[in-house]
Amino acid sequence: MDEGKFHPIASNSGEKLGAIAMPANVIRDADGSSRVILSEPTGCTAEVLLHGGQIVSWKNERREELLFMTNKALWKAGKVIKGGISICFPQCTNFGSPEQPGFVRNRLWSVDNSPSPLAPANSRSTVDLLFKSTDDDLKTWPHRFELRLRISVTAGKLTVIPRVRNIDSKPFSFTFALCSYLSVSDISEVRVEGLETLDYFDNLLQRERYTEQADAITFEGEVERVYLSTPPKIAVIDHEKKRTYVLRKDGMPDAVLWNPWDKKAKAMPDFGDEDYKISLCIDSASVETPIVLKPCEEWKGRQELTGVSSSYCSGQLDPRKVLQGYQY
């Protein structure tokens, strides 16, 4: 199935494609919460909470943590943790009306053992999660839906495939984002390549529309921008760590950049005063134009994160090679 396209779902055709997969490695923590541990042969791992379907860890083969998680996270039921990769649905980045734009992040998900229409996967390195809206959820958003999430870790790569299915009797529209907090050495030494010359909404300036003039995005203060009609590959270059994150996405045409900087960081009780220096939130998103699904239709997106070395023999970084050197 092509990402970003809408497909009618037959009643039960292919529902058992994923049924032969072994149960996921689910760990129950002391506080009663549950998480799924994924691992693959080279040593890369990921951890996913069933609460909110949130990815809270992604480590490479050298056991280096690639996602940022604040040390001041409020690990309480009903609280969204700042960090990792979380889902924003059905409205996000102040686009839309619900007061709780990402209410699925505050719900308990289940492991989906029949992830139709996706093929079976290696159970050690992949988990399929499912969230079905309830009658109580209709009070927050008056539409019935199923939201599925496939999370896979392979050598050097973390893949997230979200799918939204309309199980209501009428069409609905939504916006969507995968909010990914990357671990960086120093935000002042980070640059983002691939968003040059694009239009963006600046949420710090009354959501006015601007055109990016810089050759690359660098950070000297608070940033909250929604870049529009972005390319399928974006690079986040961390000069100090000599590491580049390559984000590939499909079905989510926009990208959001967020860093609170010092004043806002100090004002947030669940975010460390210095956390802004070592994190950057970049979202794969579809926010400018809402996605519309008719009954029985399904939308599918895809995000791949890869952490690669950005040091060349010359000691110089050529981000264009990073962006152009990876293909789907």
Side-chain angles (χ1 to χ4, degrees):
M1 179 165 22
D2 294 331
E3 285 72 37
K5 300 297 179 63
F6 309 141
H7 302 265
I9 305 298
S11 57
N12 281 310
S13 62
E15 286 291 334
K16 297 186 181 298
L17 280 175
I20 65 173
M22 297 295 289
N25 183 20
V26 180
I27 306 297
R28 186 171 295 277
D29 294 329
D31 62 359
S33 62
S34 298
R35 67 179 64 208
V36 178
I37 309 297
L38 303 177
S39 60
E40 59 83 45
T42 70
C44 299
T45 62
E47 296 184 20
V48 188
L49 299 183
L50 291 187
H51 178 78
Q54 184 172 4
I55 304 171
V56 294
S57 176
W58 171 41
K59 294 180 180 178
N60 62 19
E61 68 280 0
R62 295 184 296 276
R63 307 300 297 157
E64 297 169 330
E65 181 59 67
L66 303 179
L67 297 180
F68 166 82
M69 288 293 298
T70 180
N71 290 327
K72 294 187 69 176
L74 301 176
W75 296 84
K76 298 179 182 179
K79 295 291 184 181
V80 177
I81 305 164
K82 282 190 172 61
I85 300 177
S86 60
I87 298 164
C88 197
F89 172 91
Q91 304 287 352
C92 49
T93 64
N94 297 323
F95 286 75
S97 57
E99 292 183 358
Q100 296 184 349
F103 72 87
V104 297
R105 298 180 294 175
N106 290 316
R107 302 292 193 271
L108 185 65
W109 293 52
S110 62
V111 175
D112 184 7
N113 291 317
S114 299
S116 168
L118 297 180
N122 183 334
S123 62
R124 282 183 54 83
S125 62
T126 298
V127 65
D128 290 282
L129 300 183
L130 171 64
F131 177 81
K132 290 185 177 181
S133 58
T134 65
D135 289 342
D136 284 341
D137 294 324
L138 294 176
K139 301 173 184 177
T140 302
W141 197 56
H143 305 287
R144 295 188 181 276
F145 65 91
E146 292 177 348
L147 176 52
R148 287 179 164 84
L149 202 65
R150 168 165 285 192
I151 302 162
S152 301
V153 60
T154 53
K157 181 187 298 182
L158 179 67
T159 303
V160 183
I161 301 174
R163 292 183 290 150
V164 178
R165 178 180 178 181
N166 183 348
I167 58 173
D168 212 324
S169 60
K170 55 187 181 297
F172 61 68
S173 64
F174 63 92
T175 54
F176 189 93
L178 290 173
C179 306
S180 304
Y181 286 77
L182 304 180
S183 175
V184 300
S185 56
D186 183 346
I187 189 63
S188 298
E189 298 297 323
V190 168
R191 57 192 285 128
V192 178
E193 298 276 353
L195 302 177
E196 308 81 37
T197 74
L198 298 182
D199 284 359
Y200 64 88
F201 292 121
D202 195 326
N203 283 1
L204 302 180
L205 297 173
Q206 292 76 49
R207 207 177 300 156
E208 290 289 334
R209 187 171 185 138
Y210 298 89
T211 300
E212 182 58 62
Q213 302 296 325
D215 293 335
I217 290 89
T218 56
F219 302 89
E220 299 176 348
E222 182 182 356
V223 172
E224 187 176 349
R225 297 176 180 174
V226 181
Y227 286 85
L228 309 172
S229 301
T230 59
K233 291 188 284 279
I234 300 169
V236 178
I237 300 112
D238 187 337
H239 292 289
E240 186 171 325
K241 285 188 176 180
K242 294 183 173 60
R243 175 187 296 151
T244 295
Y245 295 98
V246 179
L247 183 149
R248 305 179 189 87
K249 59 188 179 67
D250 199 8
M252 294 172 281
D254 307 317
V256 183
L257 289 182
W258 180 76
N259 185 287
W261 220 248
D262 55 348
K263 290 183 179 180
K264 187 169 287 186
K266 292 177 181 177
M268 292 187 290
D270 58 346
F271 199 74
D273 291 354
E274 304 295 312
D275 282 351
Y276 76 94
K277 295 181 179 180
I278 55 174
S279 65
L280 173 64
C281 186
I282 180 169
D283 303 358
S284 297
S286 184
V287 294
E288 182 188 23
T289 303
I291 298 164
V292 179
L293 283 184
K294 297 177 182 178
C296 298
E297 280 189 338
E298 182 177 271
W299 166 85
K300 179 183 175 185
R302 184 184 185 92
Q303 173 180 288
E304 292 181 358
L305 270 174
T306 307
V308 299
S309 173
S310 56
S311 57
Y312 294 88
C313 295
S314 65
Q316 299 296 317
L317 169 68
D318 184 352
R320 298 293 176 184
K321 291 182 180 179
V322 174
L323 282 174
Q324 298 171 6
Y326 291 84
Q327 303 294 330
Y328 281 111

